Amino acid sequence: MIRLHVIPDLSAGAAVAPTLDQSRYLTQVMRLKLGDDLLVFNGRDGEWRATIAEILKKGVVLRAGEQVRPQTLGPDLELIVAVVKKSRVETIVEKAAELGARRVRLTVTQRTNVEHVRLDRLDAIAIEAAEQTGRLDVPTVDDPEKLAAILDGWDGARRLMFCDETGGAPVAAAVTEPDPWAILIGPEGGFSPEERERLRALPFTTAVSLGPRILRADTAAIAAMTLWQAAVGDWER
Ligand code: SAH
């Protein structure tokens, strides 16, 4: 069944107006008719069955029925990733949503050479991926921030899995504490020696290796999230 992320609050009997684009998707692409059912969620109120109640020029109106699933939240995993070129950042955000990250923080490191991102586009990708995977929360995507600033403002309770292309411990051996965690992936140029030194000296950091091959940032992000999920995430629950 179609799953649609909507903005308004959801409760039994509530009238819910999706966006015009979503309305067109429902009636023109998926060819839903008056009275047809779909599932809606908003990241706060769980998942609800909804019916197409009205089809108007300015969009459709849905009527929420009963709640199908209560709100759930995945493990507290953040992905901090250096800004890389557009298509790769888009892949990273999509895969982060699929693999259960709660937040994607974009970062600018010393060797980052792309700085501009379209946050609205990345948010839309995160929402679509959440709709497709069946998760009930949508990962947030943060505007790029300097790596040094992120580290300066660190919440000490969160551990950092630093993916170091020059080598580190295997994830399965090094990552044993439960969440909250963050995973850090560098840019195509890698981390500078200075950054690596600072990262390794921080008390909340665990430097890990993703194997003997150097991976592209998007592959590294997917591999790291997979290994983290297998080690301490919700894949075992
Ligand atoms: N230009 C660098 C590679 C950067 S790869 C070089 O040639 O060494 C981009 C990022 O992916 C790295 O900063 C790191 O965070 C991650 N990464 C890639 N391969 C990795 C590996 N084998 N182990 C750990 N991290 C890796």
Side-chain angles (χ1 to χ4, degrees):
M1 191 163 342
I2 298 172
R3 296 182 77 248
L4 204 64
H5 176 269
V6 294
I7 302 295
D9 290 344
L10 294 169
S11 59
V16 177
T19 65
L20 192 54
D21 278 350
Q22 289 177 319
S23 295
R24 289 204 185 105
Y25 167 78
L26 293 177
T27 56
Q28 290 169 25
V29 182
M30 301 313 290
R31 310 232 160 245
L32 294 192
K33 307 264 178 279
L34 223 52
D36 283 347
D37 278 351
L38 65 153
L39 296 170
V40 293
F41 68 110
N42 60 9
R44 306 181 300 275
D45 301 323
E47 185 171 62
W48 295 73
R49 192 175 298 281
T51 306
I52 306 224
E54 285 181 83
I55 301 181
L56 309 167
K57 275 226 171 56
K58 57 179 204 271
V60 307
V61 179
L62 307 174
R63 177 81 53 197
E66 80 279 18
Q67 193 186 45
V68 184
R69 287 193 287 161
Q71 184 64 36
T72 51
L73 199 55
D76 191 349
L77 174 65
E78 296 183 356
L79 176 68
I80 307 174
V81 62
V83 185
V84 285
K85 76 171 194 201
K86 181 166 155 261
S87 61
R88 290 192 196 276
V89 173
E90 292 184 358
T91 303
I92 289 168
V93 168
E94 182 183 274
K95 301 312 166 197
E98 290 179 34
L99 291 167
R102 212 182 266 188
R103 178 181 182 194
V104 179
R105 303 182 74 176
L106 300 171
T107 187
V108 177
T109 65
Q110 288 178 354
R111 294 185 185 160
T112 301
N113 47 22
V114 188
E115 292 197 13
H116 184 71
V117 291
R118 288 240 344 242
L119 222 54
D120 57 338
R121 170 94 191 115
L122 295 178
D123 281 335
I125 289 171
I127 289 171
E128 257 177 53
E131 288 173 340
Q132 183 258 322
T133 58
R135 64 186 279 176
L136 294 182
D137 58 327
V138 177
T140 53
V141 185
D142 295 18
D143 248 331
E145 209 183 332
K146 285 220 160 65
L147 179 61
I150 290 182
L151 297 176
D152 287 345
W154 198 262
D155 157 19
R158 182 180 298 279
R159 296 213 52 87
L160 179 62
M161 178 172 128
F162 163 41
C163 297
D164 187 347
E165 66 274 12
T166 65
V171 175
V175 174
T176 53
E177 279 181 50
D179 56 356
W181 275 89
I183 291 173
L184 175 63
I185 303 287
E188 295 304 346
F191 291 100
S192 71
E194 188 189 329
E195 285 170 334
R196 182 167 293 113
E197 207 174 305
R198 175 168 187 204
L199 282 161
R200 283 184 168 258
L202 293 167
F204 48 82
T205 297
T206 303
V208 300
S209 161
L210 300 174
R213 292 157 295 272
I214 301 290
L215 309 173
R216 292 256 194 196
D218 48 352
T219 320
I222 294 167
M225 289 186 285
T226 303
L227 290 168
W228 185 90
Q229 282 285 19
V232 293
D234 62 7
W235 286 10
E236 300 246 345
R237 287 178 204 164

